Amino acid sequence: MIEEIKNVSFNGLSINEISEDQLSLHVRNAGVVGAGGAGFPTHVKLSAKAEIVIVNAAECEPLLKTDQQLAARYPEQVVKGLSIAMKATGAQQGIIALKAKYHEAIAALEPLLSANMQLSIMPDIYPAGDEVITIWLTTGRRVPPGGIPLNIGVVVNNVQTLINVAYAVEGKPVTTRTLTLTGAVKKPITVTVPIGTSLRDVLELAGGVDKELTYINGGPMMGTLIPDLSAPVTKTTGGLIGLPKDHPLIKRKTMSVEAVLRIAKTVCEQCNFCTELCPRHMIGHELSPHKLIRAVNYKSIGDPLLITSALTCSECGVCEAYACPVGISPLRVNVALKAELRAQGIKYQGELGKEDPMAKHRLIPSSRLMDRLRLRPWYKEAPLSLEVYEPDEVNLKLQQHIGAPAVPVVKVGDVVRSGQLIGEIPAGALGAKVHASIDGTVTQITPQAITIRKGGATK
């Protein structure tokens, strides 16, 4: 494998001259976390051993266009990041998984691949891009319920994560985030901003905040409503989508769990569509949303594995947004169950069952999903801007990742430079470092965040 990684060097050193531990340390020092999910610290992933490294370039959610454009614009960094991940984990195979419609990305990446790397072209379906489904579609391997990709010898990182990995080995920490601004905004665009920039400032780049819109952080299926636009961009901010306040997606996301349960108890006819179209169920997980609705509605405990199977829900939203003919949200019920089960320290103990022989035929065409979600009017280009926005102030959260919050290593009044370490990983804890994203002065430190303002300290 090492001999097959060609023409990859960092600061004059060939990748072959850098040890696995050094690669992981570079990534740790740069504060790299998973940019496409919950923010798992990437150096921990790269410290493990795996057979296959997958680059998730599928861009799971409708409307979002960040990863496909980054892959087309910076293919060398993507392949370098993949090379590093393969060297660090000892993987013998690298796979870049993306959709056939990403013509520019495919054309840019293909000439750069080494003999042990390949493109895996996936159909334009949802949820291609979900980690577990991407592994299944590209390798045929199935992650066990309650398990992780490493259980089957696989490590997955998305495009922006691996670009950050490539820069990390060059000594550049994570200080910016690229994200798509889309939906009913005036000017759909994909932008790069310093981490800690307020969402309100970011939306100004798309034509400004519209009081008639409600904004979603992330994609339309799995994203969450933004209650406060003064909140900052983090390392995991996936995108900002503006939709009219009366849009069905907004109404669904604002509905209370109590209302969801009342509707379910009144109209659920146990048609089974939510289970038949559940991606996790199709690949052999126990998860059966229609049974969970029945159990919750009628306080039927039944098989303990049934209730705890809610923990395996990926929250993809297929059950509520596409499958259910009467507008029930099994997703919201699963989320509530997961919170309760985790609070009690309960884990799922089930095993992987048989794969649905019709599974690949039941995945949802993205075009059909767009129509079902009533998003077609806002399916527009959001071109990648090459300029990096420069705000006057950033508010850097100390916890932008899974694990413990970073510990401040600066104090109010300190003058800092972009890229300077300002938050360290607590000793012995899972975490990620935080770096200043602009030049300026530290004006405030709280248990949650560090604020930096351009220029001198304010009086």
Side-chain angles (χ1 to χ4, degrees), residues 33 73 78 94 145 174 212 243 300 325 332 350 379 394 411 438 449:
V33 304
R73 180 70 189 182
V78 175
V174 180
E212 300 304 314
L243 291 174
S300 170
R332 298 286 297 282
Y379 187 66
V394 293
K411 62 183 183 299
I438 62 171

Side-chain angles (χ1 to χ4, degrees), residues 101-156:
K101 66 180 182 180
Y102 300 161
H103 304 294
E104 292 183 8
I106 291 171
L109 290 164
E110 204 160 26
L112 303 176
L113 301 181
S114 298
N116 57 346
M117 298 177 184
Q118 68 183 71
L119 298 182
S120 180
I121 310 300
M122 298 190 294
D124 190 13
I125 49 90
Y126 183 84
D130 168 84
E131 185 174 72
V132 170
I133 299 301
T134 297
I135 293 171
W136 171 61
L137 287 173
T138 56
T139 69
R141 301 186 184 192
R142 295 181 294 155
V143 177
I148 60 175
L150 273 173
N151 296 147
I152 54 171
V154 178
V155 165
V156 182

Side-chain angles (χ1 to χ4, degrees), residues 46 50 147 150 162 186 199 240 254 268 283 287 289 317 325 377 395 410:
L46 300 190
L150 273 173
L162 287 183
K186 294 177 183 177
L199 300 180
L240 300 180
T254 54
C268 181
I283 66 167
L287 184 61
N395 189 36
V410 291

